[in-house]
Amino acid sequence: MNDGTKRVLYLHGLGGRRAGPRTERLIDLGYGVVYPDLPPDDFARSVEIAQAHLAGVDLVIGSSRGGAVAMALKTDKPVLLLAPAWRMSGIEAMVPNQRTFVIHGLADELVSYEDSDELAGRCGIGGNLLLVTDDHSLSNSTELIVALTQEVLNAELC
């Protein structure tokens, strides 16, 4: 059943939580947020769980390890990767499609922004890479992330 509400599949990183500022902000703006629990010690199972939640969502957002999970999905839906920990997760640099966007903090001490730069270059999405003055949490970039989410979801209306 689709009531017209745009829905976001949010894939958390290790130690992620449901009620973070990003998901709260998206819910406040009227978006539906699907937030499955991903097992921290089983990457393949995390991908299976995320893949099973794709039906009925309009955008996938993956943060850190959740970004690596999002990268492994088979989807034509737009994808927003937040400091994706693909190298740490042991996967190749790949994106689900050319409607993949990446935001990464230049002060990230956990996942190097060079990983996202390499990902964007190797996958031909360099124009979709935003480097910001933030750390791994991207907590100072919440409004930018929300604005990009809205822009992508509004473009999907056309």
Side-chain angles (χ1 to χ4, degrees):
M1 178 170 107
N2 186 350
D3 62 2
T5 300
K6 291 288 185 175
R7 292 169 39 97
V8 174
L9 174 59
Y10 193 94
L11 305 173
H12 62 80
L14 293 177
R17 53 186 188 171
R18 284 183 197 273
R22 281 182 220 123
T23 54
E24 288 176 355
R25 184 83 171 95
L26 292 172
I27 291 167
D28 288 347
L29 290 169
Y31 297 109
V33 178
V34 179
Y35 197 108
D37 287 324
L38 303 178
D41 56 351
D42 190 339
F43 188 82
R45 181 70 184 128
S46 293
V47 173
E48 288 173 9
I49 290 168
Q51 193 74 45
H53 283 85
L54 275 175
V57 300
D58 302 288
L59 171 70
V60 177
I61 299 176
S63 179
S64 193
R65 180 179 179 271
V69 171
M71 289 168 58
L73 296 176
K74 293 174 181 23
T75 185
D76 61 351
K77 306 212 186 286
V79 176
L80 175 54
L81 304 173
L82 309 175
W86 61 272
R87 192 177 308 274
M88 293 172 80
S89 297
I91 65 169
E92 291 184 39
M94 59 188 170
V95 293
N97 58 62
Q98 293 299 300
R99 296 187 305 158
T100 300
F101 302 85
V102 182
I103 298 177
H104 207 122
L106 291 169
D108 191 331
E109 293 182 4
L110 183 62
V111 178
S112 172
Y113 74 88
E114 284 102 348
D115 287 357
S116 286
D117 190 46
E118 179 181 342
L119 173 70
R122 288 175 63 181
C123 297
I125 59 164
N128 295 353
L129 171 63
L130 297 166
L131 297 175
V132 295
T133 55
D134 209 341
D135 61 18
H136 186 71
S137 71
L138 294 171
S139 59
N140 295 323
S141 301
T142 296
E143 288 307 313
L144 172 67
I145 293 164
V146 169
L148 182 56
T149 298
Q150 290 178 297
E151 184 176 324
V152 170
L153 288 173
N154 288 336
E156 291 300 296
L157 294 173
C158 302

